Amino acid sequence: MTDRMHEFSDAASLASALADEVAARLAAALRDRGTASIAVSGGSTPKKFFEALSTRDIDWSKVTVTLVDERFVPADSDRSNHRLVQTHLLKDKAANAKFLPLFYDVASIQDAAAKATEETAGIDNPFDVVILGMGNDGHTASFFPHGNNLAQAIDLSGPRGVLTMRADGAGEERLTFSFASLSDARFLALHIEGQGKKDVLDQAKAGSDENEMPIRAVLNRAATPVDIYWAP
């Protein structure tokens, strides 16, 4: 396992520092290639980070934002990561960013995964920035313990794109990028807060069963060191 731990005194300090680092990474991509890309996670943890990042002064019109994963719910649902990003990130200076959702109002979640794969295929590989979160069960993205498509999702030899996930702990069915799509990001960060999450991470590092705690797959298989941003 290769990772770099960045510890902060509180969530606000973490959010500001992570926003600065991400903005710098996106600005460098814009200078080097003329475009930039970022895939972000949902949940309550990234709200402060999104708010901070939305104020950073880069050419957002050339930045593509997408989601690491999504619930199969409409964009106006309280459970939607699309809604979270729209509310907290795609505003202020970031209002001009191009957003590519994973949920589509189609006949089935399989159709949505196919549509999302098609719509995101134009993003240059690898992603410039990927920000992951982690649940108390050790899931990340929608790589849930014993999920029905977990083996495929964490297989680096598999295709890039979006697949579906169903698991007992997931609630709704999920759409998630495969780890083959995320593992080679130029900047791959894990954003966690609270002692409980730190304890989960320490537990993950102490074991080896990736089906039990899929975050282990990220730490074990990422092409570059994972930057862990943590505040108590």
Side-chain angles (χ1 to χ4, degrees), residues 23-37 62 124 128 186:
R25 298 278 182 159
L26 296 176
L30 292 172
R31 289 193 301 270
D32 293 345
R33 294 177 296 279
T35 61
S37 59
K62 297 177 181 177
D124 288 341
D128 292 301
R186 294 183 174 93

Tab-separated table of all heavy atoms in Angstrom, residues 23-37 62 124 128 186:
chain	number	residue	atom	x	y	z
A	23	ALA	N	-7.267	22.963	-7.329
A	23	ALA	CA	-7.245	24.089	-8.264
A	23	ALA	C	-5.896	24.184	-8.966
A	23	ALA	O	-5.826	24.451	-10.177
A	23	ALA	CB	-7.561	25.382	-7.529
A	24	ALA	N	-4.812	23.961	-8.224
A	24	ALA	CA	-3.487	23.993	-8.825
A	24	ALA	C	-3.318	22.881	-9.854
A	24	ALA	O	-2.730	23.087	-10.926
A	24	ALA	CB	-2.421	23.882	-7.734
A	25	ARG	N	-3.829	21.706	-9.535
A	25	ARG	CA	-3.751	20.584	-10.478
A	25	ARG	C	-4.552	20.863	-11.747
A	25	ARG	O	-4.108	20.561	-12.864
A	25	ARG	CB	-4.262	19.312	-9.809
A	25	ARG	CG	-3.472	18.866	-8.595
A	25	ARG	CD	-2.246	18.096	-8.961
A	25	ARG	NE	-1.523	17.628	-7.790
A	25	ARG	CZ	-0.660	16.621	-7.801
A	25	ARG	NH1	-0.413	15.975	-8.934
A	25	ARG	NH2	-0.035	16.262	-6.695
A	26	LEU	N	-5.743	21.412	-11.582
A	26	LEU	CA	-6.572	21.729	-12.743
A	26	LEU	C	-5.940	22.844	-13.572
A	26	LEU	O	-5.937	22.780	-14.810
A	26	LEU	CB	-7.976	22.132	-12.290
A	26	LEU	CG	-8.793	21.041	-11.588
A	26	LEU	CD1	-10.131	21.613	-11.105
A	26	LEU	CD2	-9.026	19.844	-12.494
A	27	ALA	N	-5.387	23.849	-12.922
A	27	ALA	CA	-4.731	24.951	-13.631
A	27	ALA	C	-3.530	24.435	-14.426
A	27	ALA	O	-3.292	24.866	-15.571
A	27	ALA	CB	-4.302	26.031	-12.649
A	28	ALA	N	-2.778	23.509	-13.849
A	28	ALA	CA	-1.634	22.937	-14.560
A	28	ALA	C	-2.093	22.164	-15.789
A	28	ALA	O	-1.470	22.239	-16.861
A	28	ALA	CB	-0.845	22.028	-13.620
A	29	ALA	N	-3.180	21.411	-15.647
A	29	ALA	CA	-3.721	20.679	-16.792
A	29	ALA	C	-4.164	21.631	-17.891
A	29	ALA	O	-3.927	21.376	-19.082
A	29	ALA	CB	-4.891	19.810	-16.345
A	30	LEU	N	-4.786	22.727	-17.502
A	30	LEU	CA	-5.221	23.715	-18.487
A	30	LEU	C	-4.035	24.313	-19.223
A	30	LEU	O	-4.088	24.534	-20.439
A	30	LEU	CB	-6.036	24.813	-17.797
A	30	LEU	CG	-7.395	24.376	-17.241
A	30	LEU	CD1	-8.019	25.490	-16.408
A	30	LEU	CD2	-8.338	23.967	-18.358
A	31	ARG	N	-2.958	24.588	-18.507
A	31	ARG	CA	-1.749	25.120	-19.151
A	31	ARG	C	-1.128	24.094	-20.094
A	31	ARG	O	-0.688	24.429	-21.193
A	31	ARG	CB	-0.715	25.532	-18.106
A	31	ARG	CG	-1.071	26.769	-17.309
A	31	ARG	CD	0.134	27.288	-16.536
A	31	ARG	NE	0.661	26.277	-15.610
A	31	ARG	CZ	0.260	26.131	-14.358
A	31	ARG	NH1	-0.722	26.911	-13.881
A	31	ARG	NH2	0.805	25.217	-13.581
A	32	ASP	N	-1.108	22.845	-19.666
A	32	ASP	CA	-0.415	21.807	-20.431
A	32	ASP	C	-1.212	21.292	-21.607
A	32	ASP	O	-0.654	20.991	-22.673
A	32	ASP	CB	-0.069	20.629	-19.517
A	32	ASP	CG	0.958	20.980	-18.451
A	32	ASP	OD1	1.615	22.034	-18.581
A	32	ASP	OD2	1.082	20.209	-17.471
A	33	ARG	N	-2.538	21.153	-21.436
A	33	ARG	CA	-3.346	20.475	-22.447
A	33	ARG	C	-4.570	21.252	-22.901
A	33	ARG	O	-5.266	20.826	-23.807
A	33	ARG	CB	-3.777	19.096	-21.907
A	33	ARG	CG	-2.623	18.137	-21.705
A	33	ARG	CD	-3.061	16.812	-21.107
A	33	ARG	NE	-3.600	16.984	-19.753
A	33	ARG	CZ	-2.830	17.099	-18.677
A	33	ARG	NH1	-1.517	17.075	-18.785
A	33	ARG	NH2	-3.380	17.249	-17.479
A	34	GLY	N	-4.865	22.355	-22.250
A	34	GLY	CA	-5.982	23.193	-22.669
A	34	GLY	C	-7.322	22.805	-22.100
A	34	GLY	O	-8.298	23.552	-22.228
A	35	THR	N	-7.399	21.621	-21.475
A	35	THR	CA	-8.618	21.176	-20.811
A	35	THR	C	-8.225	20.501	-19.501
A	35	THR	O	-7.060	20.158	-19.288
A	35	THR	CB	-9.425	20.174	-21.660
A	35	THR	OG1	-8.621	19.010	-21.908
A	35	THR	CG2	-9.859	20.811	-22.971
A	36	ALA	N	-9.219	20.286	-18.632
A	36	ALA	CA	-8.971	19.605	-17.366
A	36	ALA	C	-10.210	18.832	-16.968
A	36	ALA	O	-11.328	19.138	-17.408
A	36	ALA	CB	-8.585	20.607	-16.271
A	37	SER	N	-10.021	17.816	-16.108
A	37	SER	CA	-11.145	16.973	-15.708
A	37	SER	C	-11.027	16.614	-14.243
A	37	SER	O	-9.926	16.431	-13.708
A	37	SER	CB	-11.182	15.691	-16.549
A	37	SER	OG	-9.969	14.955	-16.399
A	62	LYS	N	-13.316	25.429	-19.254
A	62	LYS	CA	-12.568	24.357	-19.915
A	62	LYS	C	-12.368	23.148	-19.002
A	62	LYS	O	-11.578	22.260	-19.313
A	62	LYS	CB	-11.219	24.893	-20.405
A	62	LYS	CG	-11.366	25.998	-21.455
A	62	LYS	CD	-10.017	26.548	-21.866
A	62	LYS	CE	-10.185	27.666	-22.900
A	62	LYS	NZ	-8.876	28.278	-23.260
A	124	ASP	N	-10.598	13.193	-21.592
A	124	ASP	CA	-9.249	12.676	-21.787
A	124	ASP	C	-8.857	11.744	-20.647
A	124	ASP	O	-9.167	12.000	-19.475
A	124	ASP	CB	-8.245	13.834	-21.854
A	124	ASP	CG	-8.349	14.619	-23.157
A	124	ASP	OD1	-8.910	14.078	-24.135
A	124	ASP	OD2	-7.866	15.762	-23.207
A	128	ASP	N	-7.564	14.171	-14.540
A	128	ASP	CA	-6.571	15.002	-13.850
A	128	ASP	C	-6.709	14.872	-12.344
A	128	ASP	O	-5.704	14.808	-11.626
A	128	ASP	CB	-6.709	16.464	-14.280
A	128	ASP	CG	-6.310	16.669	-15.723
A	128	ASP	OD1	-5.151	16.364	-16.060
A	128	ASP	OD2	-7.163	17.097	-16.520
A	186	ARG	N	-4.121	11.574	-12.341
A	186	ARG	CA	-2.882	12.302	-12.051
A	186	ARG	C	-2.819	12.737	-10.587
A	186	ARG	O	-1.738	12.871	-10.027
A	186	ARG	CB	-2.761	13.505	-12.980
A	186	ARG	CG	-2.586	13.111	-14.452
A	186	ARG	CD	-2.383	14.310	-15.361
A	186	ARG	NE	-2.080	13.881	-16.723
A	186	ARG	CZ	-2.992	13.711	-17.672
A	186	ARG	NH1	-4.278	13.936	-17.403
A	186	ARG	NH2	-2.632	13.317	-18.880
